[in-house]
């Protein structure tokens, strides 16, 4: 099992940047696929970015491609999401997630969730 704690959320003006981090504790972080979901009240949760265990394969939803970068440090049990050129449409609660199955990057099915961190982008 793995526990996930997000940090780095906050408020920023459109065009700005934020970096989210996720600290993972537990066993075998390096074997988990990791991801970031986001959710706006009243809307379905959205799989924004994902990364395979060794980091060689990544996924981005079309709306964040070229602006967001997901990365991981398996030695430090850390997952990051660098978000640039933010727009008000990026406003959401962002969740760090982990999956035992590598297929999660394709299916969006993750096993463990953090509590979320709020990102607010003002125009």
């Amino acid at each position: 099992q793995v526990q996930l704690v997000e940090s780095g959320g906050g408020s920023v003006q459109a065009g700005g940047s934020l970096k989210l981090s996720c600290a993972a504790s537990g066993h075998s972080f390096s074997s988990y696929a990791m991801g970031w979901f986001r959710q706006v009240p009243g809307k379905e949760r959205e799989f924004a970015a994902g990364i395979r265990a060794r980091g060689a394969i990544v996924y981005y939803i079309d709306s964040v491609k070229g602006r967001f970068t997901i990365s991981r440090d398996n030695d430090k049990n850390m997952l990051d999401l660098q978000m640039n050129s933010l727009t008000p449409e990026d406003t959401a609660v962002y969740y760090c997630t982990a999956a035992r199955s590598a297929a999660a990057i394709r299916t969006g099915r993750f096993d463990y969730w953090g509590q979320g961190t709020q990102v607010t982008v003002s125009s």
Side-chain angles (χ1 to χ4, degrees):
Q1 192 164 354
V2 62
Q3 293 79 43
L4 305 170
V5 178
E6 303 95 339
S7 62
S11 298
V12 66
Q13 288 192 328
S17 299
L18 280 175
K19 183 179 180 179
L20 304 183
S21 294
C22 175
S25 60
H27 297 292
S28 304
F29 171 80
S30 61
S31 67
Y32 287 94
M34 301 295 296
W36 290 96
F37 280 73
R38 62 186 187 181
Q39 188 168 26
V40 176
K43 294 188 177 181
E44 288 190 3
R45 197 152 40 188
E46 182 176 66
F47 181 29
I51 187 168
R52 284 273 184 95
R54 297 188 182 276
I57 297 176
V58 296
Y59 162 86
Y60 297 101
I61 194 172
D62 285 346
S63 59
V64 309
K65 285 181 180 177
R67 301 187 299 119
F68 289 14
T69 302
I70 187 171
S71 62
R72 64 190 296 162
D73 186 333
N74 287 342
D75 291 332
K76 296 181 179 179
N77 286 12
M78 292 292 297
L79 176 74
D80 290 329
L81 184 68
Q82 178 66 46
M83 306 185 294
N84 299 327
S85 301
L86 286 161
T87 74
E89 288 69 36
D90 296 314
T91 295
V93 176
Y94 283 73
Y95 296 89
C96 174
T97 62
R100 293 183 295 269
S101 172
I105 301 302
R106 174 173 49 82
T107 65
R109 296 175 183 172
F110 284 77
D111 304 302
Y112 305 104
W113 296 77
Q115 293 193 336
T117 185
Q118 176 70 46
V119 171
T120 303
V121 184
S122 58
S123 58

